[in-house]
Amino acid sequence: MFMGYSLGELGSIFAMQAFAGLILFSVFVLMSLGLAIIFGQMGVINMAHGEFMILGAYMTYLTSQLFQAYAPGLYGIYFFVAMAVAFVVSGGLGMLVEWGLIRFLYKRPLDTLLATWGLSLIMQQAFRSIFGAREVGVELPEWMMGSLAVTDTIEVQINGLFVMGLTTLIAVAVYLLMFRSRWGLQVRAVVLNRTMAGAVGISTERVDRMTFGIGCGIAGVAGSAFTMIGSTGPTAGQLYIVDTFLVVVFGGAASLAGTIASAFTISQAQSTMEFFMSGSMAKVLTLLVVVGILMLRPEGLFVLKVRR
Amino acid sequence: MSSSDDRQDKMSATRRGVLKGLAALPIASAVPAASFLSTPARADVPPTSAVNTTGLAVTDTEVTVGILHSVTGTMAISETGSVQAEKLAIDQINAAGGILGRKIKFIQEDGASDWPTFAEKAKKLLVQDKCASVFGCWTSASRKAVLPVFEQYNGMLYYPTFYEGLEQSKNVIYTGQEATQQIIAGLNWVVKERGAQTFYLLGSDYIWPRTSNKIARKHIENFLKLKVVGEEYFPLGHTQFNSAINKIKLTKPDVIYAIIVGGSNVAFYKQLKAAGIDLSKQTLLTISVTEDEILGIGGENIAGAFACMKYFQSLNNPNNKAFVEAFKKTYGDKIVIGDVTQAAYLGPWLWKLTVEKAGSFDIDKVAAASPGVAFDKAPEGYVRIHENHHLWSKTRVGKARVDGQYDVVYETSELVEPDPFPKGYQ
């Protein structure tokens, strides 16, 4: 399988595949961080996660349309505004959903699966009614297109770098929020023992609502970033949901570090294999490996020691 | 059976009297489509017993047809245009006097992007509604699901999508192109005009891209004596093409031959552009991106790529101008029309012409009369039905523009013969 490539070419293959793998890794982390917070910390199986992403993507589309119509001169920076809008709208809707739907189901985690699946269908139909059945095109500002040539054969894509930077930023922010803030402390307390946390004066309802909202908000930002590389249509969220759950479950649901480690493993494995076999085969092999490891470690890569 | 027929005849005899009076009104004259045909005078309307001997839903004033597409689910994105085109054609035919003096009434069913549902709805349209003809389906999977139903209950399906071929049925008229019509002319063109020597084949992982690439590979290797340097398939909905793009950069093919479908296209072309592949220098030929898909991809990401199919919205002929104008008038200015939408529009018109040639709505007579039926007012120009129930049609190559339309850069001088079972390509 290394036939026909010179040594130098193989070098650049691995460099470029590693970079492609890093982009994929960032994408996976972006997709799954929001889900990991909701699933890992609250035990809610959010099947509508993909739709929250697409909501973010549609917000990006709307923002780009507004900038094109009213401030074409500022088009270069619209993306940053769009991400903020995506976070606020997806997060806001998330809090609304938590208040109207999820909070009645905390004791029945499997029912959250059905309820959020229904929610995802409703959201898809809403997208279809509002934005039309066809995909919408989100135009990128000029500076985000193209790539930087490192050597003759190695090129680095600018929007890839952008996604990587964004992922780092969000991951750091989530870490600070969860492990260095008072609010994070409350979330972790509620996760460990809801009744006790309530007894010591933590408003568990407020914590739940904020957690769900922030998870959905991160999904929105991820969706905003995906307009750079993927499609924006009513059902596009379905494309991501399987991969997202794969990453979260493989990493060990309750652990954010596990999510990141699992995203890294899956993306690098897939990217390297993709080069030497077809895209479909690489995907099949990745799934097989994940299933194999989950059989040995049913709790995922990283297991939190929780008193039960 | 006979008693109910009698009753129906008596009822419709009075209705006919009323209609004769109405016929004096200039129903059709205000509509441009009227020029498509000579309206038969109402007095000549043949009795139903003469044009329908098999109990189809035909009365003296009305004929019922079915429209069977997905308007929900993942395929709704694509099939919406087909439904619009079929309804437009039916409206125009009705405005011009209908078929054998009868107005077309349609019953629309939703296949919901689910193949068993397609089969179930097809059966409903044929058995319960007794539709004289059905226009519908998009994916090969949905067509394969309804095919046994149409053959068992002897219905007539007008199928609009370009597809992989290897099929022929008395009960289906294929108004899109089969694979060889789309592929061979395009490859010949790219070799002649762009001097291509090496090809990289890409596709989504299901029957149509795989069969099409198989035909393309045979044609490249056995007939053109050129080289395929790579071939690769991706799951439906795949959104990460960085590895494939790296391979393309390394193998430096003269032509990227892409048959990726649906949302994956958006990801593919965006990443291609981001990776610095300039489609004004690197030739890319696709058979799966119509004007519809470009809406999602964004014109700036695909400008310069070539697409090979039989119809582009920008075709410059009077038929097409009238068609595009009527379409936009009905469905809004922003709408775009792709290859399959046009092929769907042909269905009702071809059926009308065939019924008039056969002088009957009976399925067997329509099927027998189909070969040789020609429609010279087709937006794509002129088409004719072959003995194998596919269409003779021209193949064209278009170059994508930033505004999402194609400039036609080549068209075959003759109609290309449909060849659903090509020798030497299997």
Side-chain angles (χ1 to χ4, degrees), chain A residues 12 17 25 45 60 84 86 103 106-107 124 131 137 142 149-150 164 180 208 224 235 244 261-262 285 301:
Chain A
S12 11
Q17 286 308 110
F25 162 64
I45 304 169
T60 312
R103 69 184 167 126
Y106 283 125
K107 298 217 169 87
Q124 280 174 30
F131 299 99
E142 232 4 85
V150 179
M164 282 157 69
R180 290 285 178 275
D208 284 335
S224 179
T235 51
T244 312
S262 121
L285 265 185
L301 285 183

Short mmCIF file of all heavy atoms in Angstrom, two decimals, chain A residues 12 17 25 45 60 84 86 103 106-107 124 131 137 142 149-150 164 180 208 224 235 244 261-262 285 301:
data_model
loop_
_atom_site.label_atom_id
_atom_site.label_comp_id
_atom_site.label_asym_id
_atom_site.label_seq_id
_atom_site.Cartn_x
_atom_site.Cartn_y
_atom_site.Cartn_z
N SER A 12 5.32 13.76 3.26
CA SER A 12 4.28 14.79 3.20
C SER A 12 2.90 14.19 3.35
O SER A 12 2.00 14.84 3.87
CB SER A 12 4.36 15.62 1.92
OG SER A 12 5.21 15.07 1.00
N GLN A 17 -1.83 14.17 6.25
CA GLN A 17 -2.89 13.38 6.87
C GLN A 17 -3.01 13.70 8.35
O GLN A 17 -4.10 13.72 8.90
CB GLN A 17 -2.64 11.88 6.66
CG GLN A 17 -2.91 11.40 5.26
CD GLN A 17 -4.27 11.79 4.76
OE1 GLN A 17 -4.39 12.64 3.88
NE2 GLN A 17 -5.33 11.23 5.33
N PHE A 25 -10.23 16.14 14.25
CA PHE A 25 -10.24 16.11 15.71
C PHE A 25 -10.96 17.34 16.27
O PHE A 25 -11.84 17.23 17.12
CB PHE A 25 -8.79 16.03 16.21
CG PHE A 25 -8.60 16.40 17.65
CD1 PHE A 25 -9.17 15.63 18.66
CD2 PHE A 25 -7.84 17.51 18.00
CE1 PHE A 25 -8.99 15.96 19.98
CE2 PHE A 25 -7.66 17.84 19.33
CZ PHE A 25 -8.24 17.08 20.32
N ILE A 45 -29.98 12.16 27.36
CA ILE A 45 -29.58 11.75 26.02
C ILE A 45 -30.24 12.69 25.03
O ILE A 45 -31.42 12.58 24.75
CB ILE A 45 -30.00 10.29 25.75
CG1 ILE A 45 -29.41 9.38 26.82
CG2 ILE A 45 -29.55 9.86 24.36
CD1 ILE A 45 -29.98 7.98 26.79
N THR A 60 -25.89 31.55 11.36
CA THR A 60 -24.75 32.07 10.60
C THR A 60 -25.20 32.53 9.22
O THR A 60 -24.80 33.59 8.73
CB THR A 60 -23.69 30.97 10.46
OG1 THR A 60 -23.48 30.38 11.73
CG2 THR A 60 -22.40 31.54 9.92
N ALA A 84 -21.44 34.44 17.88
CA ALA A 84 -22.09 34.93 19.10
C ALA A 84 -23.60 34.76 19.00
O ALA A 84 -24.25 34.28 19.93
CB ALA A 84 -21.72 36.40 19.32
N ALA A 86 -25.20 32.64 17.17
CA ALA A 86 -25.50 31.20 17.21
C ALA A 86 -25.51 30.71 18.65
O ALA A 86 -26.39 29.95 19.07
CB ALA A 86 -24.48 30.42 16.39
N ARG A 103 -36.98 19.01 32.07
CA ARG A 103 -36.96 18.98 33.53
C ARG A 103 -37.95 17.99 34.11
O ARG A 103 -37.86 17.58 35.25
CB ARG A 103 -37.17 20.37 34.13
CG ARG A 103 -38.56 20.92 33.92
CD ARG A 103 -38.63 22.34 34.45
NE ARG A 103 -39.85 22.99 33.98
CZ ARG A 103 -40.72 23.58 34.80
NH1 ARG A 103 -40.53 23.59 36.09
NH2 ARG A 103 -41.80 24.16 34.29
N TYR A 106 -35.99 14.08 34.35
CA TYR A 106 -34.67 13.77 34.89
C TYR A 106 -34.58 12.40 35.51
O TYR A 106 -33.54 11.78 35.53
CB TYR A 106 -34.26 14.83 35.92
CG TYR A 106 -33.80 16.10 35.26
CD1 TYR A 106 -34.37 17.33 35.56
CD2 TYR A 106 -32.81 16.05 34.28
CE1 TYR A 106 -33.96 18.48 34.93
CE2 TYR A 106 -32.41 17.20 33.63
CZ TYR A 106 -32.98 18.40 33.96
OH TYR A 106 -32.59 19.52 33.32
N LYS A 107 -35.70 11.91 36.00
CA LYS A 107 -35.63 10.60 36.65
C LYS A 107 -35.80 9.47 35.65
O LYS A 107 -35.75 8.30 36.00
CB LYS A 107 -36.72 10.51 37.73
CG LYS A 107 -36.51 11.56 38.82
CD LYS A 107 -36.87 11.01 40.19
CE LYS A 107 -36.42 11.95 41.28
NZ LYS A 107 -37.43 13.01 41.57
N GLN A 124 -36.51 19.89 12.74
CA GLN A 124 -36.25 19.70 11.31
C GLN A 124 -37.39 20.28 10.47
O GLN A 124 -37.17 20.94 9.47
CB GLN A 124 -36.12 18.21 10.99
CG GLN A 124 -34.77 17.63 11.34
CD GLN A 124 -34.75 16.13 11.13
OE1 GLN A 124 -35.45 15.60 10.27
NE2 GLN A 124 -33.94 15.44 11.91
N PHE A 131 -36.87 27.88 6.34
CA PHE A 131 -35.77 28.15 5.41
C PHE A 131 -35.92 27.39 4.09
O PHE A 131 -35.10 27.54 3.19
CB PHE A 131 -34.43 27.79 6.05
CG PHE A 131 -34.12 28.58 7.27
CD1 PHE A 131 -34.33 28.05 8.53
CD2 PHE A 131 -33.62 29.88 7.18
CE1 PHE A 131 -34.05 28.78 9.67
CE2 PHE A 131 -33.34 30.61 8.31
CZ PHE A 131 -33.56 30.07 9.56
N GLY A 137 -26.65 28.16 1.02
CA GLY A 137 -25.21 28.35 0.91
C GLY A 137 -24.77 29.49 1.82
O GLY A 137 -25.34 30.57 1.80
N GLU A 142 -13.53 36.33 2.27
CA GLU A 142 -12.39 35.97 1.42
C GLU A 142 -11.20 35.44 2.23
O GLU A 142 -10.58 34.45 1.86
CB GLU A 142 -11.96 37.23 0.66
CG GLU A 142 -11.80 37.16 -0.86
CD GLU A 142 -12.17 35.85 -1.55
OE1 GLU A 142 -13.33 35.60 -1.88
OE2 GLU A 142 -11.23 35.09 -1.81
N ALA A 149 1.03 27.58 1.91
CA ALA A 149 1.95 26.53 1.48
C ALA A 149 3.14 26.49 2.42
O ALA A 149 3.87 27.47 2.56
CB ALA A 149 2.39 26.80 0.04
N VAL A 150 3.32 25.36 3.10
CA VAL A 150 4.46 25.22 4.01
C VAL A 150 5.68 24.76 3.22
O VAL A 150 6.75 25.34 3.29
CB VAL A 150 4.14 24.21 5.14
CG1 VAL A 150 5.33 24.05 6.05
CG2 VAL A 150 2.93 24.70 5.93
N MET A 164 -9.45 24.86 14.37
CA MET A 164 -8.60 24.38 15.45
C MET A 164 -8.48 25.42 16.56
O MET A 164 -8.58 25.10 17.76
CB MET A 164 -7.22 23.98 14.91
CG MET A 164 -7.25 22.63 14.21
SD MET A 164 -5.92 22.40 13.02
CE MET A 164 -4.53 22.32 14.08
N ARG A 180 -12.99 25.65 37.38
CA ARG A 180 -12.39 26.79 38.06
C ARG A 180 -13.43 27.84 38.44
O ARG A 180 -13.08 28.93 38.85
CB ARG A 180 -11.33 27.45 37.16
CG ARG A 180 -10.07 26.62 36.96
CD ARG A 180 -9.18 26.65 38.22
NE ARG A 180 -8.00 25.84 38.05
CZ ARG A 180 -7.96 24.51 38.27
NH1 ARG A 180 -9.04 23.86 38.66
NH2 ARG A 180 -6.86 23.83 38.10
N ASP A 208 -29.34 23.15 36.37
CA ASP A 208 -29.73 22.30 35.24
C ASP A 208 -30.00 23.12 33.99
O ASP A 208 -29.54 22.80 32.90
CB ASP A 208 -31.00 21.51 35.59
CG ASP A 208 -30.70 20.37 36.53
OD1 ASP A 208 -29.55 19.91 36.53
OD2 ASP A 208 -31.62 19.95 37.26
N SER A 224 -22.14 26.76 13.64
CA SER A 224 -21.66 27.95 12.94
C SER A 224 -20.32 27.66 12.26
O SER A 224 -20.11 28.00 11.09
CB SER A 224 -21.52 29.08 13.96
OG SER A 224 -21.06 30.23 13.36
N THR A 235 -32.08 18.61 7.42
CA THR A 235 -31.76 17.31 8.02
C THR A 235 -30.27 17.09 8.19
O THR A 235 -29.84 16.00 8.55
CB THR A 235 -32.33 16.17 7.16
OG1 THR A 235 -31.91 16.37 5.82
CG2 THR A 235 -33.84 16.12 7.23
N THR A 244 -21.08 12.06 16.83
CA THR A 244 -20.99 12.76 18.11
C THR A 244 -21.18 11.80 19.28
O THR A 244 -20.40 11.77 20.22
CB THR A 244 -22.07 13.86 18.17
OG1 THR A 244 -22.00 14.60 16.97
CG2 THR A 244 -21.84 14.77 19.33
N ALA A 261 -9.85 12.92 24.44
CA ALA A 261 -8.96 11.80 24.08
C ALA A 261 -9.61 10.93 23.03
O ALA A 261 -8.97 10.50 22.05
CB ALA A 261 -8.63 10.98 25.32
N SER A 262 -10.90 10.67 23.18
CA SER A 262 -11.57 9.78 22.25
C SER A 262 -11.69 10.46 20.88
O SER A 262 -11.49 9.83 19.84
CB SER A 262 -12.93 9.40 22.82
OG SER A 262 -13.98 9.77 21.98
N LEU A 285 -13.81 0.25 9.58
CA LEU A 285 -12.75 -0.19 10.48
C LEU A 285 -12.76 0.59 11.78
O LEU A 285 -12.62 0.01 12.86
CB LEU A 285 -11.40 -0.03 9.79
CG LEU A 285 -10.88 -1.29 9.08
CD1 LEU A 285 -9.48 -1.04 8.56
CD2 LEU A 285 -10.87 -2.48 10.04
N LEU A 301 -13.23 5.10 27.47
CA LEU A 301 -11.80 5.22 27.72
C LEU A 301 -11.50 5.71 29.12
O LEU A 301 -10.69 5.16 29.85
CB LEU A 301 -11.17 6.18 26.71
CG LEU A 301 -10.97 5.69 25.29
CD1 LEU A 301 -10.28 6.77 24.48
CD2 LEU A 301 -10.16 4.41 25.28
#
